[in-house]
Every structure is written in structure tokens, then in C-alpha cells.
Amino acid sequence: MTYTMHDAQEVAKLAAADISAWLRSKPETISVVNVENDPDYQRRDIDLIWTTQTGEILIEIKGDRWNKTRNLFFETHSNLEKGTPGCFMYTEANWLFYYFVNTRQLYRLPMPKTREWFLITMKRFRERATTTPVGNNYYTTVGRLVPITTVMMEVAGIKMEQL
């Protein structure tokens, strides 16, 4: 499959906007700060800082359009050509918010617990690659297709929300 950089950015923008609005509507919310463009947080792969009455929660957002497969795509390499690990492998977020923009379904996955489970079990899941054109070149993103039902049954603490 091939995506353009623009397609990916549009999905990411929509996901961040929907999730931020949803978090702001929650009674425990004190603030929601989008740090996607902050280099310090980009390095740690964190998109939002959600401050609640009980403290600060770091969130990585993964926006996706392809909910019909009933899989989550866990990125193992964001740029195969450069050897860059996928965000799923190194995010320092407390939670990965995996959001299907079409159906407005949000899966809240506790990190690093979900990653620890994935590293042990990832060989079971089909590997997939997508290419993204950049100028006259392209880069390849690689990950595994993980059935939603499997991850929800095997990792404690995952929640599904309908936004």
C-alpha cells in the first residue's frame, strides 16, 4: 500500500483534534496540551500531555482509517531504509491512543505493558509494509497486524471508547 505524507498528516491532525476535544470534555481534566511539534517530545514520541486531578499522563496518538480489518498496526520500523525504529517500539508515553478516524473508535493501550507483551508475541502476527513517497524518493514503514480481540484479551487494562 502507498500513502502520501499529506494523507498521513490529515489523519494524524483529525485524530489529535478529536481526542483532545474528548479529553477536554472529561470531568477529571485540568488541561490537554498538544506537544506534537515540540522536538523534546517528538524525540520521546509523545503527542499530548493530559493533566488530570491525579497527575500528568503522556499520550502517543496513532490515527488510522482502516478499521474494517479489525486489526491494529503496531509500527516496528518507521523508516526501514534509515533503520529508524517504529514509534510503538520506543514511545515513552504512558498510553498509546489508537484511534480509527472513520468510526471514532478509540483504543486506549497502557504502555509500556502493551509493548512488553508485543515483543514476546509479535512473531504470531503478520508483517506488513507501506511505502510513503517523499519528493523523488520514498520510505518504507513496517509493522505487524495485531487483531484487536487478541490484544484486548491478552493485555490487561486496554479500554475501548466510542467518541
Side-chain angles (χ1 to χ4, degrees):
M1 253 188 214
T2 302
Y3 298 101
T4 67
M5 200 66 170
H6 179 74
D7 291 341
Q9 288 167 339
E10 286 304 304
V11 170
K13 239 188 266 178
L14 186 58
D18 284 359
I19 290 167
S20 294
W22 177 72
L23 289 172
R24 285 189 182 100
S25 76
K26 297 180 83 48
E28 66 271 29
T29 298
I30 294 168
S31 70
V32 178
V33 180
N34 185 313
V35 292
E36 287 174 300
N37 298 320
D38 181 320
D40 291 337
Y41 287 101
Q42 283 175 340
R43 219 180 354 269
R44 299 167 63 197
D45 221 59
I46 293 165
D47 294 325
L48 296 179
I49 301 171
W50 177 28
T51 305
T52 69
Q53 289 150 357
T54 55
E56 200 175 77
I57 299 162
L58 305 175
I59 298 168
E60 164 62 11
I61 298 171
K62 169 79 170 123
D64 198 331
R65 276 173 293 210
W66 300 105
N67 58 304
K68 288 183 175 60
T69 66
R70 304 298 301 142
N71 292 312
L72 303 179
F73 181 77
F74 290 169
E75 192 180 87
T76 54
H77 295 89
S78 68
N79 186 326
L80 191 62
E81 290 75 18
K82 287 186 178 170
T84 314
C87 70
F88 188 81
M89 304 308 268
Y90 72 88
T91 181
E92 293 178 31
N94 308 114
W95 290 88
L96 173 70
F97 278 22
Y98 200 107
Y99 182 64
F100 291 102
V101 294
N102 299 347
T103 57
R104 297 177 59 89
Q105 282 178 319
L106 172 65
Y107 292 88
R108 299 196 294 162
L109 296 97
M111 294 300 270
K113 187 198 297 186
T114 306
R115 177 175 43 232
E116 289 163 3
W117 166 84
F118 177 69
L119 290 172
I120 294 164
T121 64
M122 69 187 253
K123 298 255 184 288
R124 301 156 48 188
F125 306 118
R126 282 181 310 177
E127 191 170 71
R128 283 287 177 270
T130 64
T131 57
T132 304
V134 180
N136 296 331
N137 226 323
Y138 70 92
Y139 67 90
T140 308
T141 300
V142 180
R144 302 272 176 161
L145 294 176
V146 179
I148 293 168
T149 50
T150 303
V151 72
M152 288 192 77
M153 275 190 318
E154 297 182 13
V155 180
I158 294 178
K159 295 178 179 70
M160 196 284 249
E161 313 276 354
Q162 185 64 54
L163 268 54

